[in-house]
Amino acid sequence: MTTRNVQLPDGTSVPAIGQGTWYMGDDAGARGQEVRALQLGIDLGLTLIDTAEMYADGGAEKVVGEAIAGRRDSVFVVSKVYPHHASRSKMSLACDASLRRLGTDYIDLYLLHWRGSVPLAETIDAMERLVDTGKILRWGVSNLDTDDMRELWRAGGDACATDQVLYHAASRGIEFDLLPWCREHALPVMAYCPLAQAGNLREDLLGHPDIVGIADEIGATPAQVALAWVIRQGDVIAIPKAARDAHVRENAGAAAIALDPHHLARIDAAFPPPVSREPLDVV
């Protein structure tokens, strides 16, 4: 299975396609299949797994913990902290709870899930304290727009490893200013919902005639085309969720697809890039 990688600011290499876990852990009856899907993804090279204390109120972290048991060293675990836990007094406790659910003594990358009322400078300090203790190896943010990132840098947050945001071909607002800012600062972006939640966010994405047509031309699926588009420039990490084996294999196969300029032009025509600044798209 082909693996494509993205380099984090500290030089760590992670797969360009990982695994998301939003909505995992909600249904106890589905837990076994969710665990097996994550383990299959690891076997296929999707070794970055993204989760959060918010997902199923910690249930998704428990699913991840079961999936990585006995193979922790081969997995890059990302989790996220609630904004109301992002203070000096609360973050360490929240992190400890995530570590227990994950069954590990460290998190590879810990993200502020979205911005809340805690000052960014305090969140940065709390993150750095966790790095110092070894509970997390690096930290980043999620759902921060360009002005927020500038403020983060001014507050001393240039150790940030990524900004995780919504990004897919039908939601390209970050391309106007956030993505260029991140590239200027050598900061990779992590794309959540890179398939628009299997098309639920944008029904015209996976069923669009141009996406379907490109897929037919290259012998791929529409989802693979959409994923290949997201990771096309080498500095964006996609984290699609897949709870079924077939979808996991489909996601992993997208890493081998390189869209040619003609295909990219067709997607641009179908889903034009932004021509002005847009509010950050969130779910």
Side-chain angles (χ1 to χ4, degrees):
M1 184 67 65
T2 300
T3 300
R4 292 168 63 181
N5 295 312
V6 172
Q7 192 170 79
L8 299 180
D10 65 1
T12 301
S13 183
V14 298
I17 299 178
Q19 302 187 80
T21 62
W22 197 4
Y23 296 116
M24 287 189 182
D26 284 320
D27 180 0
R31 180 163 178 159
Q33 177 55 45
E34 291 170 347
V35 169
R36 289 190 296 273
L38 290 174
Q39 290 174 333
L40 174 62
I42 296 170
D43 292 339
L44 295 175
L46 309 182
T47 54
L48 183 150
I49 301 178
D50 175 84
T51 189
E53 66 171 338
M54 184 190 81
Y55 300 165
D57 195 24
E61 289 181 322
K62 292 179 181 178
V63 172
V64 173
E66 188 172 341
I68 67 174
R71 57 201 311 180
R72 176 66 183 91
D73 292 345
S74 63
V75 180
F76 188 96
V77 175
V78 183
S79 194
K80 297 183 284 292
V81 61
Y82 273 122
H84 56 272
H85 289 162
S87 64
R88 293 186 188 93
S89 62
K90 295 182 179 180
M91 189 185 292
S92 182
L93 295 174
C95 184
D96 286 345
S98 288
L99 290 171
R100 286 193 297 271
R101 290 188 290 264
L102 290 163
T104 183
D105 57 3
Y106 70 97
I107 294 170
D108 295 280
L109 176 58
Y110 200 40
L111 308 180
L112 171 66
H113 207 153
W114 65 90
R115 189 171 182 181
S117 60
V118 178
L120 288 176
E122 182 173 350
T123 296
I124 293 167
D125 183 61
M127 289 287 194
E128 293 293 351
R129 291 185 184 191
L130 290 177
V131 172
D132 290 342
T133 63
K135 292 180 180 179
I136 67 174
L137 301 188
R138 55 190 68 78
W139 63 271
V141 295
S142 180
N143 294 304
L144 265 62
D145 208 345
T146 314
D147 289 343
D148 298 309
M149 294 304 296
R150 292 191 180 107
E151 184 178 344
L152 185 77
W153 245 243
R154 289 194 300 269
D158 56 354
C160 175
T162 192
D163 186 10
Q164 184 183 120
V165 293
L166 178 66
Y167 184 50
H168 53 76
S171 180
R172 302 181 61 172
I174 68 168
E175 293 178 10
F176 186 78
D177 55 357
L178 178 59
L179 191 54
W181 187 93
C182 288
R183 286 177 172 151
E184 179 184 345
H185 294 81
L187 188 72
V189 162
M190 193 175 294
Y192 72 82
C193 298
L195 300 176
Q197 288 188 340
N200 291 327
L201 298 179
R202 288 291 300 264
E203 295 180 359
D204 58 340
L205 177 58
L206 299 185
H208 192 279
D210 284 300
I211 300 293
V212 174
I214 293 169
D216 289 342
E217 287 178 16
I218 65 176
T221 67
Q224 288 176 326
V225 171
L227 278 179
W229 181 88
V230 168
I231 65 171
R232 68 197 182 282
Q233 292 182 296
D235 57 0
V236 176
I237 303 156
I239 48 170
K241 177 231 176 182
R244 298 190 178 277
D245 292 359
H247 291 157
V248 174
R249 295 183 186 279
E250 184 179 16
N251 292 344
I257 297 171
L259 301 174
D260 66 29
H262 171 66
H263 296 142
L264 295 175
R266 285 178 65 180
I267 294 173
D268 282 347
F271 302 101
V275 296
S276 60
R277 190 172 188 182
E278 300 177 5
L280 186 67
D281 202 0
V282 298
V283 177

